[in-house]
Amino acid sequence: MPQKNASGLEGIMAGETALSTVGKEGLDLTYRGYSIRDLAAAASFEEVIYLLLYGSLPARAELDRYRSLLITLRDLPPPLRVILEQLPPTANPVDVLRTGCSALGTLEPEGQDRDAHAIANRLCASFPSMLLYWFHFHRNGRRIETRAEAHPTVADHFLYLLRGEPPSALHARTLDAALILHAEHEFNASTFACRVIISTLSDFYSAVTGGIGALRGPLHGGADEGAMKLLERFSSPDEAEAGVRKMLEKKEKVMGFGHRVYKDGDPRAPIIKGLAGQLAEEAGDRTLFPIAERIESLVFSEKGLYPNIDFYSAVAYHFLGIPTFLFTPLFVISRTSGWAAHILEQRAHNRLIRPLAVYTGPAPRPFPSMEERS
Ligand code: SDX
């Protein structure tokens, strides 16, 4: 018996996953049973990628080997570098990754000598290289070396490629935790897009390209950039309160707030807020973080809405010196690990994903000749 029509599939159980628990009554957000709090506090992003892709946390020797593998996968094939150089400097950087993913799929197609795990690792390792190769080519006219083997973690690699110098321990650790918090989140829109695509037996790159397209939207992964643009409009908490109050009166959406699943708060938000607070403290900030906190308390008091992961991620990335237009690409870099795990899981128990629709069109009618049409 078909279920009733739920717009946006709200509240619909659209399948099973063993990868994470999101918003289940009383259950903390966990990745394969490990609390996000424990992972953000004590794991590295590479351990989380490994956990999602291979099902268990790596032992020390496995982690070292895995990091060495990812380092070797950071290089970009020459034709891909040419393509990245041909993309305009004005391109949306998420589109650069969407194009890079699609192009790599033609250069290193999935097949006998390249299985899904190999492609997952290749994309997790090379997306930072693609993004920052394009960025420096157009921003500084430089063709950067992307392997940077002296920087063994994804967070360290990203910040080093971005700045051209090693990040501080606090900055590397903070980005590492942020990447962990963004890695996986059950059947969110972009992950579900990946699963729909792979359920047709399409290839790995097509699924990830589709996921990138879905994450790009401001209702999903693009909210972090929207939150930063909002925060930058104000120079004091009072000004922010007045401005956001006007937005709410006009029924405008405040980026970085609300969530389809979490109605009592996104468990990732307090963690990323704490990290953002540390960075604000280190930067001697007396403005941006208080503005963010004032907006948080206003949106809650006026709409009963909590910040989601994107709101304070924007603050943290700002204090890491990451340009706003690179915020959502960072979400892509992190979520590729979750997408990859869902692609593997969907393939392991595949059934074509094809829901029903409630018909709301015209009743059956005769076909009119051209003369009869007005
Ligand atoms: C992510 O699904 C995931 O897991 C996603 C994610 C992940 O890790 O993959 O968690 C990452 O995408 C987080 C969400 C990032 N997006 C934003 O921050 C954009 C702003 N948020 C909203 O657009 C909204 O909250 C959604 C899209 C996130 C959820 O929207 P829903 O569940 O469709 O709820 P809704 O739009 O129907 O809103 C219900 C009410 C409405 O008010 P009324 O019309 O009933 O009076 O709440 C209001 C909305 O207007 N509302 C907001 C609001 N979010 C909801 N009002 C102002 N600002 C907001 N942000």
Side-chain angles (χ1 to χ4, degrees), residues 62-364:
E62 287 170 321
L63 176 59
D64 293 345
R65 276 197 302 274
Y66 189 57
R67 280 187 171 138
S68 303
L69 169 67
L70 293 179
I71 287 171
T72 65
L73 299 173
R74 291 172 177 172
D75 297 332
L76 302 177
L80 178 55
R81 293 204 293 266
V82 170
I83 291 167
L84 293 170
E85 292 175 17
Q86 294 301 308
L87 297 180
T90 53
N92 179 324
V94 175
D95 298 350
V96 171
L97 290 180
R98 189 190 63 205
T99 306
C101 178
S102 200
L104 191 64
T106 67
L107 300 168
E108 300 179 4
E110 187 171 12
Q112 296 83 344
D113 58 347
R114 193 175 290 107
D115 68 8
H117 277 93
I119 295 169
N121 291 329
R122 179 66 163 137
L123 291 175
C124 287
S126 64
F127 272 160
S129 303
M130 291 185 206
L131 180 71
L132 292 162
Y133 183 89
W134 168 83
F135 173 78
H136 283 295
F137 179 78
H138 290 291
R139 176 68 62 101
N140 312 313
R142 279 190 302 119
R143 292 183 170 91
I144 63 169
E145 267 316 302
T146 59
R147 183 175 282 219
E149 49 221 328
H151 302 275
T153 70
V154 173
D156 193 348
H157 178 231
F158 180 90
L159 290 173
Y160 174 72
L161 288 194
L162 175 65
R163 301 171 176 165
E165 59 186 33
S168 69
L170 174 66
H171 284 196
R173 181 72 204 105
T174 303
L175 183 57
D176 197 41
L179 291 169
I180 289 170
L181 292 170
H182 284 81
E184 157 60 13
H185 214 233
E186 196 208 67
F187 282 11
N188 61 86
S190 56
T191 296
F192 196 64
C194 292
R195 290 189 79 125
V196 169
I197 293 166
I198 215 71
S199 81
T200 72
L201 302 187
S202 187
D203 74 297
F204 200 105
Y205 294 95
S206 295
V208 174
T209 304
I212 295 173
L215 190 77
R216 185 185 194 278
L219 292 190
H220 190 10
D224 48 20
E225 294 183 11
M228 193 65 230
K229 286 172 187 152
L230 171 72
L231 288 162
E232 283 173 336
R233 277 172 45 192
F234 309 115
S235 54
S236 74
D238 290 345
E239 192 192 336
E241 176 163 348
V244 172
R245 197 179 290 281
K246 281 205 189 79
M247 288 174 68
L248 294 175
E249 281 158 10
K250 290 188 282 183
K251 286 269 186 198
E252 290 173 23
K253 289 273 178 22
V254 181
M255 292 295 112
F257 285 87
H259 199 278
R260 171 59 61 81
V261 175
Y262 296 127
K263 299 306 179 192
D264 299 325
D266 183 335
R268 301 165 296 181
I271 303 171
I272 195 75
K273 178 178 178 180
L275 296 168
Q278 284 174 26
L279 293 172
E281 189 69 33
E282 184 209 41
D285 168 69
R286 296 282 176 273
T287 312
L288 189 70
F289 198 79
I291 285 174
E293 289 198 297
R294 180 73 71 85
I295 292 174
E296 177 184 359
S297 62
L298 176 74
V299 174
F300 181 72
S301 61
E302 295 298 311
K303 296 287 286 188
L305 292 170
Y306 296 87
N308 55 51
I309 189 169
D310 290 305
F311 189 65
Y312 283 101
S313 291
V315 178
Y317 293 163
H318 170 78
F319 285 119
L320 287 173
I322 297 167
T324 301
F325 65 91
L326 297 185
F327 287 9
T328 307
L330 258 183
F331 203 152
V332 171
I333 287 166
S334 170
R335 189 53 60 88
T336 297
S337 57
W339 291 335
H342 279 272
I343 288 167
L344 293 167
E345 185 179 64
Q346 179 69 34
R347 277 182 168 171
H349 314 282
N350 190 48
R351 185 136 200 280
L352 178 70
I353 296 174
R354 199 281 187 215
L356 295 172
V358 174
Y359 178 67
T360 59

